[in-house]
Amino acid sequence: FIQNVGCRTLSLSAHVGFDSLPDQLVRKSIKHGFCFNILCIGETGIGKSALMSSLFNTNFDNSPSTHFLSSVRLRTQTYELQESNVLLKLTIVKTLGFGDQVNKADSYQPIVDYVDAQFEAYLEEELKVIRSLFSYHDTRIHVCLYFISPTGRSLKTIDLLTMRNLDSKVNIIPVIGKADSISKTELQEFKKKIMSELVSNGIRIYQFPTDDETVSGINTMTNGYLPFAVVGSMEKVKVGNKMVRARQYPWGIVKVENESHCDTIKLRRMLCTNMEDLREKTRAYYESYRCCRLEKLGCRDIGPENKSISLQEVVEAKRLEFCLEKEEKEKKIKQQFMQKVNKKAAVLEEAEQQANTHKQEIMSYEEQLRDLGLFSLK
C-alpha cells in the first residue's frame, strides 16, 4: 500500500462546521460527568476528614477511627456532588491506623497495594473482550494529600518511606495538618525544611504545571507555598456581622477561608484549577504500570529481529507457547502416572508371587499331614 508520510495544511474557502467539535466534547463531558479520586494519608486525628469537608463545603459522613488497629486499613467513600450543571463523582480514600503500630516499617505497603489494585482493575477492564470504559467507574487515585504532623522539626521516617514508595505511582501533594498549632515563623522554617528533606531524599512531589500560559503565573506562585499549611473546620463562628468557618481558641479565631490564616483556600483553588492535569498525570502513571505488567506477561511491541509485531501475532505466539507448555505438562503427568502404575503393578505382582509361594507351602504341609494320617478332608 502507499503511505502518505506528510500532511499538508490547507485553508478553507468557506465554513464547514467542524469548529463545533470542542462544544460537542464539552456537552458530552457535562452529560457524562467527571470523576476525581483523592487519597488522604496521615496519622489518626490529624484532620483528614475536616479538611475534606472544608475543601468541598460539604459535611461528609465521617465515623471516628480508633488508634488500636493492628495494621493500616483504607476506607473508601464515594459521593456525587453537583455544582451548576457539572456532576462530579468524588471518591475519598482515607488511611485508618496509619502510624499507630509499634512496628511502622511496612505501614506503607497496604497503601501501595491499594493504588496498584486500582491500576490492575482498570487494566482488566481494558483487556476484556466486551468492555465499557465509558461507563466504567475509574477508581485510579488522581491525587494523594499527604498529611505531615506539625512538629516543626523534620519529616518522620515513616513519611519518607511512604512517599518514596508512592511517588512513582500517584501525584503527591504534601500538606501540614492542623497548621494553626505552630507559629507563623516556625511554619515557614518547617516548610523550608520539609522541601529540603524531600529533595535530599529524592522524593518527587506534584508540581503545578507552568507551561500553560493561562495558569502559569498563579501556578508558579503556588509552587512556592508547598507544602500547604491547612486548617479544616465546618463549624461556623460569628465574626462581626458574619458567620464564617473557623476554629475558635481562647486566644483568638483561625478562619479557614482566610488566606492569611492558612492555605486551605489555596489548596482548594489549585485542586480545581489543575484537576484535569492531575487526571492526565495519573494516566501517565497508569501507562507505566500497564507497560510493566504486560511485559511480565510476555507481550512485546518488537519481535526478536527488531521488527514491529501486531497484537494478533503476540496473542498467537502466547497461545502457541501455552499449547506447547500444556502438551509438555500433559506428557510429564502421563509419564509420572505410568511410573506410579508400573510401580504399583510391580508391588502387586510381588505380592501375588508371595501369595503363590505361601499357597504351595500350605499344600506341602497338608500333604505331609495326610501322609501321617493327621489331616483328612471332610
Side-chain angles (χ1 to χ4, degrees):
F1 63 91
I2 300 174
Q3 185 176 3
N4 187 7
V5 178
C7 65
R8 295 183 298 162
T9 302
L10 302 176
S11 58
L12 305 177
S13 58
H15 183 260
V16 177
F18 57 78
D19 58 351
S20 66
L21 272 172
D23 298 329
Q24 295 174 38
L25 290 173
V26 169
R27 288 195 298 269
K28 188 175 181 180
S29 297
I30 290 176
K31 182 180 179 181
H32 181 251
F34 303 87
C35 72
F36 194 65
N37 307 318
I38 302 176
L39 171 63
C40 299
I41 303 176
E43 298 174 1
T44 306
I46 200 166
K48 300 186 291 294
S49 300
L51 179 64
M52 288 297 100
S53 297
S54 299
L55 287 177
F56 292 94
N57 287 329
T58 303
N59 278 312
F60 296 115
D61 301 327
N62 297 307
S63 54
S65 179
T66 177
H67 283 275
F68 303 103
L69 294 175
S70 59
S71 61
V72 178
R73 300 178 189 174
L74 289 98
R75 177 188 292 163
T76 303
Q77 295 172 305
T78 301
Y79 309 91
E80 287 190 353
L81 308 178
Q82 186 164 356
E83 187 174 47
S84 298
N85 63 336
V86 178
L87 179 68
L88 178 68
K89 182 176 283 189
L90 176 69
T91 299
I92 300 174
V93 184
K94 287 180 284 190
T95 56
L96 305 180
F98 182 75
D100 291 338
Q101 293 75 35
V102 176
N103 183 6
K104 301 178 178 63
D106 297 329
S107 295
Y108 64 85
Q109 195 58 52
I111 305 171
V112 173
D113 292 342
Y114 178 85
V115 174
D116 285 343
Q118 310 321 303
F119 285 154
E120 186 67 20
Y122 194 87
L123 178 61
E124 288 178 1
E125 183 65 28
E126 268 193 334
L127 296 177
K128 285 181 179 178
V129 176
I130 301 175
R131 58 183 184 175
S132 54
L133 290 174
F134 185 74
S135 59
Y136 175 74
H137 180 205
D138 186 2
T139 57
R140 294 174 296 178
I141 299 299
H142 298 121
V143 64
C144 167
L145 297 181
Y146 193 93
F147 287 73
I148 299 168
S149 299
T151 59
R153 294 188 293 274
S154 61
L155 290 170
K156 299 177 182 178
T157 304
I158 187 175
D159 298 328
L160 295 172
L161 279 173
T162 304
M163 283 192 274
R164 185 181 293 121
N165 282 275
L166 281 173
D167 67 353
S168 62
K169 300 174 181 290
V170 69
N171 302 302
I172 299 177
I173 298 180
V175 297
I176 302 172
K178 294 187 175 180
D180 54 336
S181 61
I182 55 178
S183 68
K184 280 194 172 184
T185 305
E186 291 175 329
L187 185 59
Q188 293 306 315
E189 291 299 320
F190 191 33
K191 282 189 174 188
K192 291 178 183 177
K193 191 168 185 61
I194 289 172
M195 294 304 292
S196 175
E197 288 184 347
L198 291 175
V199 172
S200 61
N201 285 277
I203 296 172
R204 295 168 295 173
I205 62 173
Y206 177 76
Q207 293 288 321
F208 296 100
T210 57
D211 52 352
D212 187 350
E213 294 180 359
T214 58
V215 292
S216 61
I218 188 170
N219 279 357
T220 301
M221 187 184 303
T222 306
N223 282 329
Y225 289 110
L226 289 169
F228 293 107
V230 297
V231 177
S233 176
M234 288 303 289
E235 295 181 7
K236 290 195 172 183
V237 178
K238 190 172 183 181
V239 178
N241 295 325
K242 293 182 179 180
M243 298 295 290
V244 297
R245 290 188 177 88
R247 295 183 69 87
Q248 190 167 20
Y249 297 95
W251 44 264
I253 294 174
V254 177
K255 299 177 185 177
V256 172
E257 298 184 342
N258 188 327
E259 293 191 41
S260 63
H261 288 191
C262 65
D263 298 333
T264 303
I265 293 299
K266 293 186 182 72
L267 177 59
R268 178 200 291 167
R269 184 189 305 123
M270 299 319 297
L271 283 178
C272 294
T273 304
N274 299 281
M275 192 172 285
E276 185 54 34
D277 184 72
L278 288 164
R279 285 155 52 92
E280 188 64 34
K281 290 284 196 309
T282 300
R283 284 190 280 270
Y285 287 129
Y286 166 73
E287 286 300 320
S288 177
Y289 174 86
R290 175 181 172 276
C291 179
C292 294
R293 190 78 174 84
L294 292 180
E295 282 183 352
K296 286 181 180 178
L297 293 174
C299 297
R300 296 286 188 278
D301 293 332
I302 299 176
E305 299 177 358
N306 290 329
K307 293 182 180 179
S308 60
I309 53 178
S310 65
L311 179 60
Q312 184 178 355
E313 289 175 316
V314 172
V315 172
E316 184 61 27
K318 292 299 292 182
R319 189 188 69 81
L320 182 61
E321 182 184 344
F322 174 77
C323 290
L324 292 174
E325 189 177 323
K326 181 183 175 185
E327 288 177 6
E328 189 65 28
K329 285 185 178 179
E330 286 180 353
K331 186 178 179 182
K332 190 180 291 186
I333 291 172
K334 284 180 181 178
Q335 289 177 350
Q336 291 175 350
F337 178 74
M338 290 306 299
Q339 287 175 359
K340 288 182 179 179
V341 169
N342 293 335
K343 187 177 180 180
K344 197 61 130 176
V347 171
L348 290 173
E349 186 178 353
E350 184 180 354
E352 189 176 354
Q353 289 176 355
Q354 291 178 356
N356 289 333
T357 303
H358 292 324
K359 187 176 180 181
Q360 290 175 1
E361 290 178 353
I362 291 172
M363 291 175 65
S364 175
Y365 291 148
E366 288 178 351
E367 187 67 26
Q368 293 175 13
L369 291 172
R370 197 177 291 111
D371 293 341
L372 295 171
L374 299 175
F375 181 80
S376 61
L377 294 174
K378 295 181 180 179

